[in-house]
Amino acid sequence: SEPLDPDVAGVFRDLPASDIAYRNRARAFVQDEVLPVIAGHWERAEYPLHLLRRLGELDLLRDGIDIDGFPAMSHLAAGLVLAEISRGDGSVGTMIAVQGGLALRSIALLGSDEQRATWLEPLARGTKIGAFALTEPAHGSDSVSLETRAVTTPTGFSITGDKKWIGSGVGGDLSVVWARGDDEQVHGYLVPQDAAGYDASVITGKTSLRAIWQAQITLDDVQVPASARLAGANSFRDTSRVLQATRLGVAWSALGHATACYETAVHYAGQRIQFGRPLAASQIVQERLARMLSELTSLQTLLMQLTRLSEDGSLVGPTAALGKYTATRTARPTAANARDLLGGNGILLEHRGARHFADI
């Protein structure tokens, strides 16, 4: 379905030309390359790696990270891209969140000059695929309590432990593995996914985000050189710097999901004939559409203001977390409302809202 641009408050009216260019490129990619194929990949639980590589070719993977040789990408441009891509599909949006928001950002913020020179460009261009291996089977939100260990050896480190829910942790090239060192502090290590002792399997049976592979990983005495340790990752406080920078991105993604659900509901209500007239002619349906639009407008206004704070460096952690909380919690009833409005057709992948209802 065609994008509707539901911006009744003019929140996006006077965007800078460079930000508009990023948004339009992301939108064209969604319309021309994602929407025609993604329902099939989602249904079959296939990881369309060609879409990740295309994101790199189109310079849509960086999540606003500055890299030598690449044009400037503002925080607003990064947010608009995440919203547009998530408007197309949550799994494809998660590719950006993992590759750019987490793996690339870890190296950009905490890596040595040599590590940045080696990895930033190929990760940004999508010629290499990266993962962020923090979460463990027993430690999800309580990630500061991780149990994976990195023991110092004469040549570097031996890493042993388990990770779970690691996007692109299988089928990729590099995992940024977070482990506890000899000093009991949390450090980051660059681990090739083909290293001996690195065993990863795809988590199956998911009912959402089915078009991206998330892995369960066992690391059994994985040997890495001393140069593999992220130079600036000396405690979990440094890990948190990476995580905090992704919170607004999650919020923008939620706005994209909600926008997709609203578009689906509007198109369907205008075309579906019941009792001799379109659903949209019914006042109760109009009220439901108005409620969705109200929720979208609130999120657009909030995220634009928080992004302004992010651009000038005044966005603090609790405020970013509040933005993430508000956006994700607001998008959920929007998705549920849209799915319900479609009736039985709301569970069919052909109507798009079903994927977003599950993913959000």
Side-chain angles (χ1 to χ4, degrees):
S1 57
E2 290 300 314
L4 293 179
D5 279 327
D7 181 20
V8 295
V11 176
F12 302 134
R13 180 182 301 154
D14 298 313
L15 297 177
S18 57
D19 295 338
I20 292 174
Y22 274 109
R23 183 196 67 183
N24 290 349
R25 193 154 70 245
R27 181 173 296 181
F29 169 67
V30 164
Q31 295 300 123
D32 298 340
E33 302 184 50
V34 175
L35 290 180
V37 302
I38 197 60
H41 290 292
W42 199 98
E43 184 173 15
R44 295 186 297 270
E46 296 172 346
Y47 191 175
L49 286 173
H50 71 283
L51 294 180
L52 187 151
R53 296 190 176 96
R54 280 292 289 150
L55 286 168
E57 292 171 2
L58 294 168
D59 190 23
L60 298 174
L61 269 177
R62 280 189 291 139
D63 198 32
I65 298 168
D66 291 328
I67 301 176
D68 290 342
F70 287 74
M73 185 181 195
S74 70
H75 294 199
L76 178 57
L80 293 169
V81 166
L82 276 167
E84 287 295 330
I85 299 299
S86 298
R87 185 184 202 170
D89 183 71
S91 298
V92 184
T94 303
M95 294 177 195
I96 299 176
V98 170
Q99 179 95 353
L102 293 171
L104 181 64
R105 179 170 276 112
S106 295
I107 300 171
L109 288 180
L110 306 173
S112 65
D113 290 343
E114 181 180 355
Q115 289 166 340
R116 288 196 291 267
T118 300
W119 288 105
L120 293 190
E121 181 173 348
L123 287 173
R125 296 197 186 281
T127 57
K128 296 292 185 181
I129 299 172
F132 181 87
L134 173 63
T135 305
E136 298 184 350
H139 301 286
S141 299
D142 185 23
S143 52
V144 71
S145 299
L146 60 83
E147 298 177 34
T148 301
R149 306 292 306 203
V151 177
T152 302
T153 69
T155 58
F157 304 95
S158 168
I159 304 175
T160 298
D162 297 285
K163 300 292 181 180
K164 191 174 183 181
W165 297 116
I166 309 306
S168 298
V170 60
D173 298 286
L174 179 78
S175 291
V176 180
V177 175
W178 298 90
R180 199 172 299 281
D182 296 336
D183 59 359
E184 295 301 319
Q185 295 296 324
V186 174
H187 303 278
Y189 304 85
L190 303 183
V191 179
Q193 291 186 12
D194 60 0
Y198 182 104
D199 183 43
S201 59
V202 177
I203 297 173
T204 59
K206 295 191 303 178
T207 60
S208 63
L209 294 177
R210 289 172 54 83
I212 184 171
W213 286 348
Q214 291 164 304
Q216 178 140 357
I217 302 169
T218 298
L219 300 118
D220 183 10
D221 189 26
V222 176
Q223 301 289 319
V224 296
S227 60
R229 181 174 140 176
L230 285 176
N234 298 308
S235 72
F236 193 78
R237 186 181 299 273
D238 296 315
T239 318
S240 296
R241 289 176 58 197
V242 178
L243 297 174
Q244 178 174 323
T246 68
R247 287 178 180 145
L248 265 191
V250 175
W252 278 102
S253 291
L255 173 62
H257 279 292
T259 303
C261 292
Y262 173 74
E263 288 174 349
T264 298
V266 169
H267 287 307
Y268 187 84
Q271 298 167 4
R272 176 71 166 173
I273 304 299
Q274 290 288 276
F275 305 104
R277 62 179 184 172
L279 286 178
S282 169
Q283 189 172 15
I284 193 170
V285 172
Q286 294 168 11
E287 187 278 332
R288 294 175 69 163
L289 295 175
R291 191 189 325 159
M292 292 185 221
L293 184 57
S294 171
E295 292 161 348
L296 285 181
T297 304
S298 298
L299 287 186
Q300 292 167 349
T301 306
L302 172 66
L303 296 188
M304 281 294 286
Q305 175 58 22
L306 294 185
T307 303
R308 291 189 187 99
L309 297 180
S310 180
E311 294 276 14
D312 66 23
S314 60
L315 180 66
V316 297
T319 305
L322 182 64
K324 174 181 174 181
Y325 172 88
T326 303
T328 55
R329 267 52 179 184
T330 301
R332 290 177 184 179
T334 302
N337 195 354
R339 199 229 66 80
D340 186 64
L341 190 148
L342 267 65
N345 285 325
I347 69 170
L348 296 177
L349 290 177
E350 69 181 83
H351 288 291
R352 179 185 176 202
R355 284 184 289 108
H356 294 280
F357 176 73
D359 288 349
I360 191 60

